[in-house]
Structure formats: C-alpha cells, structure tokens
C-alpha cells in the first residue's frame, strides 16, 4: 500500500511541476465554454434588413414596425425599386430583403390576401433559413392579430418549448462541452502519461519493480480522476452562474454520473496507452479516435436521427452519447436514476470492458 | 563454476530477421564484476532485458541467483538492481524525490538503506533539491546508480552506465563499482568503451550477437597473437593507407592520433618502415613497439571471426 501511495504522490508531482499543462487543463473548460456560449450560437440578433415598400400604407408600416422592433432585425436601407435588391445583397451587409406588393392594405381589405416576398441571402444557408423563419413568424403573428375581429373560427396553436423555453444554445453546449472535455482530459492525459514513461525508459524500472500492473494503472488514473472532476465542477458552475443553465435534478447524482463517465474515458486512455508506445501516436489516436467522434457522433451538435443508418449504428458505441443523454436528463428535466438507469448501465459496462482489456493488454515485459 | 550467480545457456533472440543474440552461454560467479564489451548493436541491451526479466528469450534458458528468468520473474524482480541505458530518472523530480520514489516502490526507505549508497550519494547530496533534468551527465549517472542500489539488491545490472559521461566521471564511476564489489554484490555491466574492460574481473567480448571470448582482461591481452606497433605521422589518413599496403602487415587501425599496426612476430624492422614512410613523404614519423590493449584484441578477434 505504501508503494502504491508513493506512486500516486509521484504522479501528482509530475502534474504540478508541469504548470503549462495544468493551466491548459483548468483554462480550457472556461475558454471553450465562453467560446461556445457566446461565439457559436444559432440565435441571430441585429440582422441587416432592406425593405422595398411601394405601398407605404398603414398595414405595411405596421408590419415593418413589428419586424424592426422584434430585436432580430435592423433596417439597413429602404429600397425604391426591384433593381436595387441585387446590389443590396452584393454589398454584403444586407441579409434579408422584404418586398411588399403594390396597394397592400387596399388589396388585403378587398380580396382578403396580399403579396409579400421575403428574400434571404442563402450564401449562408443556415442564417438565411433562420432569418426567413423569424420574419414570416412575425408577419403571421401580425395577420392573426388583425384577423381576430374578422374571422370567427380558427385554430391558434400555442407553442411552448418544454425544458428550454427560450431555445438557448447554451443548454445544449454545456452538456456537450462537458462530455467532450472530460473525454479529452481523461483519455489524452492518461495515455500521454503512460506512454511518456515508456519513452523515457522509466517504464523499464517500473516493470522491474515489485509494483503490480494494476497498481501502476490505477496509480496513473487517480490523479486524473481528481483533475477531471474539478473540471466537471468548473463547467457545471460556469453553466449555472454565467449562462444560467439550470440544474433541475440531484447535483449528487449529476456528479456521480460525471465520475462514472470520467472512468470510462480514463479506461479508454489506458487502453490506448497499452497498445501504443510513443506519446505522439497516443496523442494522435486520442484526438482522432476520441475527439472527432465525440463532437460529431454524440448528438452534441448534429442530431443522430438525421445520420445515415451506418453512422447511427456507430453512434451507439460512443460513450459520450449516453453521457450527454444522462446530463441533459438530470440538468434540464430533473430526472432521477429511474429514468437513466439504462444509459448509466451502458457506461458501467464500457468501463469494465475497457479496464479488463487494458489489464489484459498491459505488458509485464517489454515486448 | 559452482553455484553461479548468473547462468545463461544457449540463449538466442531475434527481432524480425535481425539476430540480436545468437546461442550465447556464460556464467558469472557471486560477487564478480563481469563486463560485456562490444560496440553498439552487439546485443548487449537485449541480453540485459532478458536477464532483467523484461524480455522472453526465443531459445535457451537463463537463471539469476538460481531463479529462472521466465518462471520466477517476480522473485528476480525483488532482488534485482537495474540501471537501464537511459538512466531511467524522472527529469521533473528532484534528486531526493527520485531516490525517495525508487526506495518507496521497492518497499523500503532511504533512511533504512542509506549505508548502501552513502558514499555515492554524498557526492550529489549538495544538489538534492535540484531537478534531475538539470544535472550533468556524471551526476545523473550517480543518482541512477543510487536509485538502483537503494533496495540493497543482491545483483546489479548496469546497461552502458558510462555512455554520455565525461572521462573523469567514468573513472570515478568504475572506482565506485570496485568498492561496491566488496559488499559481495554480483555486478554485470556493459560498455562500448574498450578501455573500461581492464577494470572488470572478467569480460565477454561480444559482437553481432555472438560472444567472441570470455576471459580475464589480462588473459585476453596475453593471448594476443601479433606484434603491435604504434606509428605516428602528421597526415594520419594517408599514413593508414600507406601502412595498409606495406608487406607483412596484418592489420592497421586508427587509434587516437596514431595508427596501430599488427604484424607477425619479428616481421617488421622499424628502421625499414621509417625509410618507407619517409619516401612516401611523411613528416614527424614516430614508431614504437607497444603492448596490446583490449581494443586491439577486439579488432583482432573481429578479423579472425
């Protein structure tokens, strides 16, 4: 036991001596969260809009007002003819053009319908799509409001977005970043620290020493469990206090699940290091084999349901996927273990499988 | 040899098509300082890995203190002090932390076995707070030796302990090994430096995975079959070429600033050689009869293999 304790203390020396890595370890979650939270966002504010309004009557003015006061749009310029639409887009600032038909109010009053055209700058298709939706939504709302007195029968769906009423992107990024960072720190750092010993030749002496393989493995893992756990707390804390992401469910359950996920990632890191012998290979393997799938195939950014079936099948073996489901469920819906026991069980299975494999693969000799 | 400390029988090992060790057998008695002398790539490290239980031999058997390197590897690891070729120190830990760590994982403490390392450790103790990465080559070597000795091993394997270390430290190091021997530890040491061979009790000259000779250094030298001359001149490169073609010469090697010339006994009158070299335009010619050293013997063995 004293041997083992000595080994763990040595690992902590390594970590604290390498303060550059330490800085990255603790700085990264904060920076990533701020980046994802503020920079990469699907919500669009203050889009530049140009309006071509040949009617200039009360209705078109009211619609224009509604759109400009929504907070999503800023008036870039008023256009006076169709020919100006092209140049307005080409200048690059305008992302949306609104064209009213002639005699708008009069036509609406007489025929019960009027023409309005929304043109989006689809050189950026996502933004264009969102802006067009915003604009048509505003117009529809307006039409409903003036129709209320005229049409007696109608169905007005009242939409409520459950668990994230404001559709905030951060609600999605906090769990995603947590899954990504914990995987990165745990898997990358352990695989590096084991392969470093192989590269330096110190592994030779560790092997010759009476330390058992399991002691070496667990000794390597413990410090990183602690570090990754601190990171998890930083992410959750920032999510709650900076971005206002709620934690509806039990915080203890949430932290326990985090530790479980950290164990999955760590055992994966050990597995990587037991099949590689250089830091470079371990790093590449961790980054390529873990980071990209974690971002792309975990449902963090891209919905799994839309993928080709072969990728969907592949997603099922991504541990981050289950962790993201678990934390979203606890944080946003306030669910307890009864709702997420299946995902939890899968993570436990992953951990056991990886550890078993690595202990089996761990070489008590050099070749 | 009765009850040898190390016994190696017919060990062979290869990496792919490269034969690192080819049917090697030898024994080392308890308390002996045994040297493995050979150039890089001769198979020294492979042999050490097998004896340190880090590598399974393809063929043959080996035992350390009566324990089989394959079956009893756990027991061997307890009585073994091993200093790998790259020193195996943690560069970001200080001198005393390295020592503390190796003491701890071998289940002992620095205080308990301080006697074992006192003499060596006292030389680096003034730097005990310094990181191992900031030590000179000689100090790293001493620290690595301390780390290998801290658990009082019965047997010590030193794989090229003097590589990359200055000449003074090398001599000091061998002095330490001589003194360690007094506490009856069996020491197996490998080195590419031929001049260190004379400091061992016995040496094995190894080349391309084969042992060419096992003997005491004095015997190795006394069995040298040729007459040996040291020849000097201003232009050593041309000198080597000119000597090569001189009649009666068996071999010529550059040795520092001089050429070592081997020939049959009594075959070379020095004055004739001097005339020949003068004709060839050499200046500051020096010719003297010398006693062979281990390197000369090694070269001779390589040629006759």
């Amino acid at each position: 036991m004293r041997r083992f304790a000595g080994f763990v203390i040595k690992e902590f020396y390594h970590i604290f001596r390498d303060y550059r890595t330490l800085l990255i370890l603790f700085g990264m979650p904060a920076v990533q969260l701020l980046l994802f939270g503020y920079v990469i966002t699907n919500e669009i504010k203050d889009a530049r809009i140009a309006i071509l309004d040949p009617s200039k009557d009360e209705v078109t003015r009211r619609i224009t007002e509604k759109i400009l006061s929504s907070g999503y749009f800023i008036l870039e310029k008023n256009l006076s003819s169709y020919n100006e639409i092209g140049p307005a887009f080409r200048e690059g600032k305008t992302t949306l053009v609104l064209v009213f038909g002639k005699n708008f109010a009069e036509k609406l009053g007489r025929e019960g319908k009027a023409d309005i055209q929304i043109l989006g700058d689809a050189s950026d298709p996502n933004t264009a799509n969102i802006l067009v939706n915003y604009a048509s939504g505003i117009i529809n709302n307006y039409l409903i409001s003036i129709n209320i007195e005229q049409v007696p029968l109608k169905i007005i769906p009242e939409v409520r977005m459950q668990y994230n009423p404001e559709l905030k992107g951060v609600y999605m990024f906090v769990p995603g970043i947590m899954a990504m960072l914990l995987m990165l720190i745990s898997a990358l750092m352990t695989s590096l620290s084991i392969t470093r010993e192989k590269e330096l030749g110190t592994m030779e002496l560790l092997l010759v020493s009476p330390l058992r393989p399991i002691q070496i493995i667990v000794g390597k893992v413990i410090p990183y469990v602690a570090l990754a756990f601190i990171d998890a707390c930083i992410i959750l804390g920032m999510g709650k206090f900076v971005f206002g992401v709620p934690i509806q469910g039990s915080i203890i359950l949430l932290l326990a699940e985090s530790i479980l996920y950290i164990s999955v990632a760590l055992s994966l890191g050990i597995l990587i290091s037991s099949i590689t012998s250089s830091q470079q290979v371990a790093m590449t393997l961790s980054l390529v084999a873990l980071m990209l799938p974690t971002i792309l195939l975990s449902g963090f950014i891209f919905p799994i349901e839309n993928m080709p079936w072969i990728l969907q099948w592949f997603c099922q073996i991504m541990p981050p996927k289950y962790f993201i489901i678990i934390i979203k469920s606890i944080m946003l819906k306030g669910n307890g273990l009864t709702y997420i026991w299946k995902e939890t069980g899968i993570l436990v299975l992953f951990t056991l499988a990886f550890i078993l494999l690595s202990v089996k693969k761990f070489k008590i000799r050099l070749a | 040899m009765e009850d040898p400390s190390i016994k190696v029988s017919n060990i062979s090992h290869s990496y792919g098509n490269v034969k690192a060790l080819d049917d090697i057998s030898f024994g080392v008695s308890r308390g002996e300082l045994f040297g493995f002398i050979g150039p890089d790539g001769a198979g020294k490290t492979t042999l050490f890995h097998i004896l340190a239980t880090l590598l399974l031999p393809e063929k043959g058997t080996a035992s350390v203190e009566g324990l089989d390197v394959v079956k009893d590897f756990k027991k061997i690891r307890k009585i073994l002090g091993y200093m790998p070729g790259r020193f195996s120190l943690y560069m970001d830990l200080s001198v005393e932390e390295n020592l503390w760590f190796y003491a701890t994982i071998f289940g002992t403490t620095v205080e308990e076995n301080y006697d074992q390392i006192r003499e060596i450790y006292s030389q680096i103790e003034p730097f005990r707070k310094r990181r191992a990465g900031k030590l000179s080559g000689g100090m790293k070597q001493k620290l690595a030796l301390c780390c290998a000795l801290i658990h009082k091993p019965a047997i010590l394997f030193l794989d090229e302990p003097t590589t990359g270390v200055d000449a003074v430290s090398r001599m000091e190091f061998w002095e330490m090994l001589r003194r360690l021997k007094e506490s009856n530890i069996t020491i197996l040491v490998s080195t590419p430096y031929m001049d260190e061979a004379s400091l061992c009790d016995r040496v094995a000259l190894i080349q391309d995975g084969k042992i060419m000779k096992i003997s005491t250094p004095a015997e190795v030298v006394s069995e040298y079959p040729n007459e040996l001359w040291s020849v000097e001149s201003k232009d050593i490169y041309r000198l080597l070429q000119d000597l090569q073609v001189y009649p009666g010469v068996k071999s010529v090697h550059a040795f520092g600033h001089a050429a070592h010339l081997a020939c049959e006994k009594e075959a070379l009158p020095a004055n004739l050689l001097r005339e020949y070299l003068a004709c060839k335009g050499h200046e500051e010619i020096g010719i003297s009869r010398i006693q062979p050293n281990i390197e000369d013997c090694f070269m001779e063995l390589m040629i006759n293999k």
Side-chain angles (χ1 to χ4, degrees):
Chain A
M1 202 56 216
R2 223 174 56 81
R3 281 180 197 158
F4 179 65
F7 189 77
V8 174
I9 293 171
K10 183 213 74 160
E11 287 305 311
F12 272 111
Y13 279 144
H14 285 321
I15 292 167
F16 290 129
R17 298 278 154 90
D18 188 6
Y19 46 87
R20 237 172 308 167
T21 309
L22 207 60
L23 198 72
I24 294 173
L25 274 186
F26 292 129
M28 197 162 54
V31 172
Q32 292 243 357
L33 210 57
L34 290 174
L35 275 180
F36 274 98
Y38 286 120
V39 181
I40 309 169
T41 163
N42 294 338
E43 302 150 49
I44 295 159
K45 283 182 203 146
D46 299 341
R48 304 277 170 165
I49 188 172
I51 293 172
L52 174 58
D53 182 4
S55 315
K56 293 205 172 55
D57 53 40
E58 203 201 338
V59 182
T60 62
R61 220 172 298 137
R62 288 282 292 281
I63 292 177
T64 308
E65 232 169 66
K66 284 265 180 204
I67 284 181
L68 293 183
S69 62
S70 66
Y72 299 122
F73 301 102
I74 290 182
L75 183 65
E76 172 70 21
K77 59 165 89 168
N78 278 306
L79 306 176
S80 50
S81 81
Y82 261 101
N83 300 334
E84 289 175 28
I85 294 176
F89 274 134
R90 273 196 289 278
E91 261 173 43
K93 276 188 191 161
T94 309
T95 48
L96 199 77
V97 175
L98 203 59
V99 183
F100 292 100
K102 284 183 180 139
N103 307 321
F104 194 85
E106 194 191 321
K107 210 175 165 193
L108 189 66
R110 189 156 29 89
E111 299 173 22
K113 63 177 190 173
D115 303 320
I116 191 164
Q117 188 181 22
I118 303 171
L119 295 109
D121 176 2
S123 57
D124 179 354
N126 285 336
T127 314
N129 212 350
I130 294 167
L131 289 179
V132 168
N133 282 339
Y134 282 168
S136 37
I138 295 167
I139 295 165
N140 280 337
N141 280 345
Y142 172 73
L143 285 180
I144 288 167
S145 73
I146 58 167
N147 275 348
I148 277 178
E149 309 95 55
Q150 298 166 3
V151 189
L153 287 174
K154 62 187 173 339
I155 297 165
I156 305 174
E158 189 175 307
V159 180
R160 194 168 154 231
M161 292 309 215
Q162 195 77 8
Y163 306 125
N164 185 0
E166 291 162 71
L167 294 180
K168 279 191 185 161
V170 194
Y171 283 32
M172 177 172 100
F173 290 128
V174 167
I177 287 176
M178 201 148 140
M180 189 176 86
L181 277 185
L182 293 187
M183 180 60 94
L184 179 76
I185 290 167
S186 313
L188 185 62
M189 292 296 164
T190 38
S191 64
L192 282 187
S193 98
I194 293 180
T195 43
R196 191 182 304 131
E197 301 242 13
K198 288 189 186 174
E199 262 181 20
L200 285 175
T202 44
M203 193 52 111
E204 279 183 40
L205 262 186
L206 292 183
L207 289 177
V208 167
S209 81
L211 277 176
R212 277 186 310 218
I214 188 83
Q215 285 178 314
I216 297 179
I217 288 179
V218 176
K220 282 277 172 200
V221 159
I222 285 182
Y224 291 102
V225 172
L227 289 187
F229 185 71
I230 296 174
D231 263 347
C233 295
I234 293 178
I235 297 171
L236 287 176
M238 272 186 73
K240 186 161 169 62
F241 297 111
V242 180
F243 295 106
V245 182
I247 301 176
Q248 307 280 9
S250 150
I251 185 128
I252 304 211
L253 180 63
L254 187 57
L255 293 179
E257 294 279 2
S258 302
I259 291 179
L260 174 63
Y261 178 68
I262 291 169
S263 320
V264 178
L266 286 172
S267 47
L268 202 57
I270 295 166
L271 189 61
I272 289 175
S273 61
S274 62
I275 53 177
T276 56
S277 52
S278 82
Q279 291 193 66
Q280 207 143 48
V281 178
M283 179 124 126
T284 319
L285 210 63
S286 307
L287 287 177
V288 175
L290 298 179
M291 282 301 286
L292 285 179
T294 307
I295 298 174
L296 300 178
L297 299 179
S298 64
F300 163 26
I301 296 179
F302 307 108
I304 293 172
E305 292 78 10
N306 295 350
M307 294 177 189
W309 66 268
I310 191 154
L311 281 183
Q312 287 201 30
W313 184 84
F314 208 60
C315 292
Q316 305 304 316
I317 52 168
M318 294 287 143
K321 178 198 147 176
Y322 299 100
F323 182 59
I324 290 180
I325 294 176
I326 290 173
I327 36 179
K328 273 187 179 166
S329 172
I330 299 176
M331 287 178 79
L332 305 180
K333 300 185 189 166
N335 285 345
L337 198 55
T338 36
Y339 290 92
I340 50 173
W341 63 269
K342 213 169 23 171
E343 284 79 9
T344 310
I346 292 174
L347 287 187
V348 172
L349 282 182
F350 269 124
T351 317
L352 291 180
F354 289 147
I355 287 184
L356 222 72
L357 254 175
S358 358
V359 172
K360 245 192 135 121
K361 281 251 160 199
F362 189 89
K363 295 185 191 95
I364 51 168
R365 292 191 171 85
L366 284 179
Chain B
M1 201 182 310
E2 283 163 33
D3 185 25
S5 180
I6 300 170
K7 190 161 172 46
V8 171
S9 319
N10 308 100
I11 289 267
S12 294
H13 195 85
S14 49
Y15 301 103
N17 290 326
V18 184
K19 256 210 147 100
L21 292 176
D22 190 1
D23 197 25
I24 282 198
S25 302
F26 66 94
V28 178
S29 39
R30 189 155 296 124
E32 194 173 18
L33 175 52
F34 191 92
F36 259 88
I37 320 291
D40 292 342
K44 302 188 299 283
T45 300
T46 307
L47 182 67
F48 273 75
H49 279 164
I50 288 174
L51 289 176
T53 75
L54 286 170
L55 203 61
L56 295 175
E58 275 176 0
K59 277 194 214 114
T61 56
S63 67
V64 174
E65 293 287 319
L67 300 164
D68 187 84
V69 292
V70 178
K71 275 183 296 188
D72 303 321
F73 73 95
K74 278 189 180 157
K75 285 183 194 154
I76 293 183
R77 289 176 181 191
K78 286 199 177 107
I79 56 163
L80 178 73
Y82 175 45
M83 182 170 154
R86 284 169 295 170
F87 289 161
S88 211
L89 299 169
Y90 292 98
M91 297 306 165
D92 53 345
L93 298 190
S94 69
V95 169
E96 56 182 3
E97 282 162 353
N98 266 292
L99 194 59
W100 162 84
F101 174 67
Y102 282 115
T104 311
I105 62 168
F106 278 93
T108 178
T109 59
V110 177
E111 294 75 31
E112 201 177 313
N113 289 338
Y114 190 71
D115 285 348
Q116 183 81 8
I117 56 160
R118 186 200 311 271
E119 211 173 323
I120 307 162
Y121 191 59
S122 58
Q123 298 177 41
I124 48 172
E125 204 157 19
F127 312 101
R128 65 179 190 277
K129 296 279 178 207
R130 196 180 286 186
R131 303 253 166 110
K134 296 223 159 75
L135 294 175
S136 70
M139 287 200 281
K140 276 184 194 151
Q141 174 203 44
K142 280 170 194 150
L143 176 58
L145 183 60
C146 288
C147 292
L149 283 172
I150 191 66
H151 60 289
K152 277 198 174 164
I155 193 159
L156 192 58
F157 290 158
L158 307 169
D159 190 10
E160 301 202 7
T162 51
T163 301
V165 171
D166 66 90
V168 177
S169 298
R170 271 169 56 192
M171 279 306 119
E172 278 179 17
F173 190 78
W174 278 92
E175 193 49 44
M176 284 182 248
L177 293 190
R178 303 282 331 169
R179 257 173 295 171
L180 267 179
K181 214 174 83 69
E182 287 162 20
S183 49
N184 209 27
I185 299 183
T186 309
I187 303 174
L188 196 64
V189 57
S190 74
T191 175
Y193 300 115
M194 307 285 169
D195 54 329
E196 293 177 349
S198 55
L199 303 165
C200 301
D201 293 337
R202 281 196 308 148
V203 291
L205 303 184
I206 178 169
Q207 162 81 9
D208 291 332
K210 286 198 181 80
I211 293 181
M212 300 188 295
K213 192 173 198 65
I214 301 180
S215 195
T216 64
E219 259 171 30
V220 172
V221 171
S222 72
E223 284 169 20
Y224 188 72
N226 305 321
E227 204 170 272
L228 195 69
W229 296 81
S230 169
V231 185
E232 281 176 61
S233 143
K234 243 182 155 177
D235 186 350
I236 180 82
Y237 177 69
R238 217 153 48 77
L239 176 69
L240 288 170
Q241 288 181 320
D242 290 340
L243 289 176
Q244 212 99 55
V245 295
Y246 192 73
V249 169
K250 281 174 80 181
S251 68
V252 180
H253 299 290
F255 199 96
H257 297 294
H260 278 192
L261 180 153
C263 59
E264 298 286 345
K265 295 220 158 102
E266 328 262 307
L268 188 101
N271 49 353
L272 285 181
L273 179 62
R274 186 181 294 272
E275 264 173 44
Y276 163 78
L277 289 176
C279 279
K280 287 279 181 183
H282 285 280
E283 291 167 31
E284 297 173 31
I285 302 166
I287 301 177
S288 55
R289 182 71 201 279
I290 51 164
Q291 286 304 312
N293 60 24
I294 298 277
E295 183 160 351
D296 296 314
C297 301
F298 194 93
M299 292 298 188
E300 176 67 21
L301 286 166
M302 266 177 66
I303 295 166
N304 294 338
K305 202 168 57 170

